[in-house]
């Protein structure tokens, strides 16, 4: 009844769940031994004091509150102290390799080795994809910019130097494709074959090497683990006997000051103490004996474990040395700076750039598009039936390549130099006409009349087939008989391309003139 009352009152103080084993010991002691001499409020006072002050002052609460039943309360508190010490004396096993079962980390390293091989293969595979993508990007970049430079206004030796940069990209692209091939065909395959040879899968899963290491460690550890288990059991029995002896001694001591106990009860308590002491001696002897046997088997245990561990070390050493070897091969494949072909690329690029000569380019431009060009200066001409029509631009350019009408022409060597001194595409796409001043307004055979609209003597012959074309680039006519248009404009080609790369066409507004043939494309 007292226990129930105390439980109800302590619910508000500590909560029923917080009333642990030690608190129940106090309740049982107070309710069964004190025979109702203490009220429930007093018991709550004692329990609260115990939980508030722990072991240090808990006994003082009992002494100050219950002098008549001090011996029994002290006995109950002794039991509380023993149980409390048990709860805080739990040993935590170490993380040492020699602990039972801790060899599993060494065994797991074998499985990790197989996984690391797969990881390294995935790493190289990704790098190979990067090398391939980079090579493709270099090639595409070089192709696009080569076209832009060739169709652009740059000319002469500087154009060659610029194009050499694209040539470098193309050659480097080929080297990176070789790197990709080396990574996949050599390094990747080498790791794959080594992994297959080093790790052997079992039918039931796992690897043969892992199972062998597991079995070896288990076999080496089994005898020692068995003796360790016996030592733990003997240790537990010895400690339990010591606690029992301490408890019995405490009871026997407290019974001497309790006049209510008869001699028979005192004799039983003394016999209990004696028996506990004998149990302590027996369990201690057994504990020491089992510990001695464990110590004697430890050297053999360590030797067996070391042997199995060294086998695992040797297996791991092979993997580590193989990885080092493979990574050195990867380094050689990735390091292009040591390749003679790689060095030659940039040696050639440097020579091409240094070969660029501004003076030579300016001289070429002067001879082909500047004052160095030949000129058919106007002279007096007698009337002739052949002069009923004006020479077309095509005929004029043909004449300019040979002997002029006035007999004024450059020497053969100079003409040859002007023709072959540059590979610039600028001359092809945007060359200036050699008879530029023939069409001035003071020319009696000018292509414009008084109003500047048309030339009554110009031939208007067209080819048999007209083709619709679309402009690829903007073009601004350099002379009055050239058409001007924007990229995307459509016009009609009325004459095929001549040997100089010019076509005759008509805009939608009816204007007829010449334009560069490679500035347009046929509309499908």
């Amino acid at each position: 009844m007292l226990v129930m009352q105390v439980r109800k009152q302590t619910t508000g103080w500590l909560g029923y769940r917080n009333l642990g084993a030690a608190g129940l010991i106090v309740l049982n002691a107070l309710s069964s031994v004190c025979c109702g001499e203490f009220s429930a409020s007093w018991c709550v006072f004692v329990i609260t004091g115990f939980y508030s002050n722990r072991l240090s002052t808990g006994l003082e609460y009992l002494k100050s509150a219950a002098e008549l039943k001090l011996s029994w309360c002290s006995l109950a508190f002794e039991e509380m102290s023993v149980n409390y010490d048990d709860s805080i004396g739990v040993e935590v096993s170490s993380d040492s390799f020699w602990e039972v079962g801790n060899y599993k980390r060494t065994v797991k390293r074998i499985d990790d080795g197989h996984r690391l091989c797969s990881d390294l293969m995935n790493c190289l595979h990704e790098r190979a994809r990067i090398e391939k993508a980079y090579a493709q990007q270099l090639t595409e970049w070089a192709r696009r910019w080569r076209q832009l430079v060739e169709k652009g206004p740059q000319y002469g030796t500087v154009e060659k130097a610029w194009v050499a940069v694209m040539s470098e990209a193309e050659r480097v692209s080929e080297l990176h494709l070789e790197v990709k091939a080396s990574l996949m065909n050599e390094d990747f395959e080498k790791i794959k074959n080594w992994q297959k040879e080093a790790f052997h899968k079992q039918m039931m899963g796992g690897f043969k090497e892992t199972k062998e290491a597991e079995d070896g460690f288990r076999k080496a550890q089994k005898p020692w683990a068995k003796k360790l288990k016996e030592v733990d059991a003997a240790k537990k029995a010895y400690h339990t006997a010591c606690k029992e002896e301490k408890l019995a001694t405490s009871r026997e001591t407290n019974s001497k000051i309790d006049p209510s106990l008869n001699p028979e009860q005192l004799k039983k308590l003394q016999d209990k103490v004696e028996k506990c002491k004998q149990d302590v001696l027996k369990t201690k002897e057994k504990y020491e004996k089992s510990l001695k046997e464990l110590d004697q088997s430890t050297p053999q245990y360590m030797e067996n474990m070391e042997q199995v561990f060294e086998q695992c070390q040797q297996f791991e050493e092979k993997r580590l040395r193989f990885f080092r070897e493979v990574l050195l091969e990867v380094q050689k494949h990735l390091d292009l700076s040591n390749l003679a072909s790689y060095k030659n690329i940039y040696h050639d690029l440097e020579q091409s750039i240094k070969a660029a000569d501004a003076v030579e380019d300016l001289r070429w431009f002067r001879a082909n598009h500047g004052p160095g060009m030949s000129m058919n200066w106007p002279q007096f001409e007698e009337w002739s039936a052949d002069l009923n029509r004006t020479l077309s631009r095509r005929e004029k350019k043909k004449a300019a390549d040979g002997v002029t009408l006035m007999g004024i022409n450059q020497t053969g060597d100079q003409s040859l130099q002007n023709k072959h001194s540059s590979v610039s595409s600028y001359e092809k796409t945007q060359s200036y006409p050699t008879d530029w001043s023939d069409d001035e307004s003071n020319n009696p055979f000018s292509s414009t009349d008084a109003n500047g609209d048309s030339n009554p003597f110009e031939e208007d012959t067209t080819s048999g087939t007209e083709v619709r074309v679309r402009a690829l680039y903007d073009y601004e006519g350099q002379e009055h008989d050239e058409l001007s248009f924007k990229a995307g404009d459509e016009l009609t080609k009325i004459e095929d391309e001549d040997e100089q790369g010019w076509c005759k066409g008509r805009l939608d507004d009816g204007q007829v003139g010449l334009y560069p043939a490679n500035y347009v494309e046929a509309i499908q």
Side-chain angles (χ1 to χ4, degrees):
M1 186 65 181
L2 177 64
V3 175
M4 297 302 297
Q5 293 178 4
V6 173
R7 284 180 175 174
K8 290 181 181 180
Q9 295 191 29
T10 52
T11 301
W13 288 60
L14 303 171
Y16 175 69
R17 294 181 180 178
N18 294 330
L19 192 60
L24 292 178
I25 292 175
V26 174
L27 288 178
N28 292 330
L30 294 177
S31 61
S32 60
V33 178
C34 298
C35 301
E37 295 185 20
F38 306 111
S39 64
S41 298
W42 178 84
C43 294
V44 172
F45 171 74
V46 172
I47 296 172
T48 305
F50 171 72
Y51 274 99
S52 301
N53 297 274
R54 297 290 179 181
L55 298 178
S56 60
T57 58
L59 185 58
E60 296 299 326
Y61 279 91
L62 295 176
K63 287 182 179 180
S64 63
E67 294 180 357
L68 294 178
K69 297 299 180 181
L70 179 61
S71 61
W72 293 101
C73 290
S74 298
L75 177 62
F77 190 79
E78 290 290 342
E79 294 182 0
M80 292 160 49
S81 300
V82 171
N83 291 332
Y84 186 80
D85 292 341
D86 287 343
S87 64
I88 64 176
V90 178
E91 294 183 1
V92 179
S93 61
S94 67
D95 196 35
S96 172
F97 165 79
W98 303 105
E99 291 286 347
V100 176
N102 280 359
Y103 62 82
K104 292 187 180 296
R105 291 174 299 187
T106 304
V107 175
K108 182 177 178 296
R109 186 176 60 173
I110 299 177
D111 293 333
D112 291 342
H114 182 273
R115 181 177 61 83
L116 289 172
C117 288
S118 300
D119 290 345
L120 183 55
M121 286 191 291
N122 291 335
C123 175
L124 296 184
H125 189 210
E126 289 185 12
R127 178 58 185 266
R129 290 204 303 266
I130 293 174
E131 294 290 336
K132 180 180 179 180
Y134 179 57
Q136 292 174 343
Q137 291 176 355
L138 279 179
T139 302
E140 177 61 24
W141 174 84
R143 183 192 63 80
R144 183 166 59 88
W145 275 99
R146 184 186 293 274
Q147 292 178 354
L148 291 174
V149 172
E150 289 177 350
K151 294 180 180 180
Q154 186 57 60
Y155 57 89
T157 57
V158 173
E159 181 189 10
K160 291 181 180 180
W162 194 345
V163 172
V165 176
M166 273 64 83
S167 298
E168 173 270 342
E170 293 171 344
R171 295 170 66 182
V172 170
S173 173
E174 294 176 358
L175 290 180
H176 281 280
L177 288 178
E178 293 177 3
V179 171
K180 175 258 180 185
S182 298
L183 292 176
M184 293 303 299
N185 299 336
E186 298 180 26
D187 302 330
F188 184 91
E189 290 297 325
K190 188 174 183 179
I191 300 171
K192 182 179 179 181
N193 294 333
W194 188 91
Q195 183 188 45
K196 186 177 181 180
E197 294 174 359
F199 299 92
H200 302 85
K201 291 186 177 181
Q202 299 184 118
M203 295 293 294
M204 301 301 294
F207 300 102
K208 175 183 177 183
E209 292 72 22
T210 304
K211 187 176 186 305
E212 289 177 350
E214 178 79 26
D215 293 343
F217 279 121
R218 187 184 292 112
K219 182 178 179 181
Q221 199 172 70
K222 185 176 181 180
W224 190 85
K226 183 178 180 180
K227 292 184 180 298
L228 179 64
K229 189 175 181 181
E230 294 174 356
V231 169
D232 290 339
K235 175 184 175 182
K236 184 176 181 181
Y238 169 66
H239 289 176
T240 302
C242 290
K243 293 175 185 177
E244 290 292 335
E245 190 231 353
K246 183 179 180 181
L247 184 59
T249 302
S250 178
R251 287 175 179 174
E252 193 266 339
T253 301
N254 293 329
S255 66
K256 293 179 180 179
I257 61 175
D258 188 358
S260 63
L261 296 178
N262 54 43
E264 183 179 355
Q265 291 176 329
L266 293 176
K267 183 68 170 59
K268 288 183 178 180
L269 291 175
Q270 292 173 358
D271 293 342
K272 178 68 173 176
V273 171
E274 187 65 25
K275 184 178 181 300
C276 289
K277 288 182 178 180
Q278 293 177 1
D279 291 342
V280 168
L281 294 176
K282 290 179 181 179
T283 54
K284 181 179 180 181
E285 181 181 357
K286 187 176 181 180
Y287 179 30
E288 291 176 343
K289 181 181 178 181
S290 59
L291 188 60
K292 183 178 180 180
E293 293 177 354
L294 181 66
D295 292 340
Q296 291 175 350
S297 63
T298 297
Q300 185 64 40
Y301 164 66
M302 295 179 66
E303 181 181 350
N304 295 339
M305 292 291 285
E306 282 276 5
Q307 184 178 359
V308 181
F309 182 79
E310 282 303 318
Q311 294 176 357
C312 296
Q313 287 287 85
Q314 292 175 7
F315 184 82
E316 178 67 7
E317 183 182 8
K318 292 180 181 179
R319 185 190 68 81
L320 295 175
R321 290 185 180 278
F322 172 74
F323 268 41
R324 181 179 181 276
E325 177 185 347
V326 169
L327 292 175
L328 283 176
E329 292 295 326
V330 172
Q331 179 266 332
K332 292 179 181 178
H333 293 150
L334 295 179
D335 188 6
L336 300 178
S337 62
N338 292 327
L339 296 179
S341 57
Y342 187 77
K343 296 179 180 178
N344 291 337
I345 291 175
Y346 292 98
H347 177 268
D348 295 344
L349 177 61
E350 181 182 6
Q351 296 302 317
S352 297
I353 295 175
K354 288 182 176 180
D357 188 345
V359 175
E360 180 182 346
D361 289 351
L362 294 175
R363 186 185 300 114
W364 175 89
F365 193 88
R366 178 183 181 85
N368 288 272
H369 303 293
M373 297 178 65
S374 61
M375 174 60 184
N376 295 325
W377 299 105
Q379 293 185 9
F380 179 80
E381 299 178 17
E382 292 289 348
W383 180 89
S384 172
D386 294 335
L387 297 179
N388 286 335
R389 60 183 182 88
T390 302
L391 293 176
S392 66
R393 174 181 294 272
R394 183 183 304 175
E395 293 172 340
K396 290 178 181 179
K397 289 191 175 182
K398 286 182 180 180
D401 292 338
V403 180
T404 61
L405 293 176
M406 301 298 109
I408 304 174
N409 195 6
Q410 296 174 327
T411 63
D413 293 341
Q414 185 177 3
S415 298
L416 185 62
Q417 177 184 0
N418 293 340
K419 185 175 181 180
H420 299 290
S421 60
S422 173
V423 295
S424 171
S425 59
Y426 184 69
E427 182 182 4
K428 300 177 183 178
T429 60
Q430 224 170 312
S431 60
Y432 294 90
T434 59
D435 55 348
W436 169 54
S437 61
D438 280 352
D439 295 328
E440 294 294 332
S441 59
N442 59 353
N443 188 341
F445 302 104
S446 173
S447 60
T448 57
D449 59 8
N451 296 327
D453 294 333
S454 63
N455 182 0
F457 301 102
E458 185 173 351
E459 287 185 306
D460 195 20
T461 59
T462 61
S463 60
T465 304
E466 295 184 352
V467 180
R468 292 291 289 177
V469 294
R470 180 183 293 110
L472 295 174
Y473 316 100
D474 295 348
Y475 182 73
E476 186 70 25
Q478 302 298 316
E479 298 185 30
H480 67 276
D481 60 345
E482 295 180 8
L483 298 178
S484 299
F485 47 76
K486 300 291 184 181
D489 291 350
E490 295 183 4
L491 59 151
T492 302
K493 182 178 73 172
I494 58 179
E495 281 189 11
D496 293 334
E497 178 182 357
D498 60 17
E499 64 274 10
Q500 298 297 325
W502 293 83
C503 287
K504 191 172 185 179
R506 181 178 61 249
L507 299 179
D508 291 343
D509 61 1
Q511 182 182 354
V512 177
L514 302 174
Y515 62 87
N518 58 356
Y519 270 55
V520 301
E521 64 176 357
I523 300 176
Q524 302 296 331

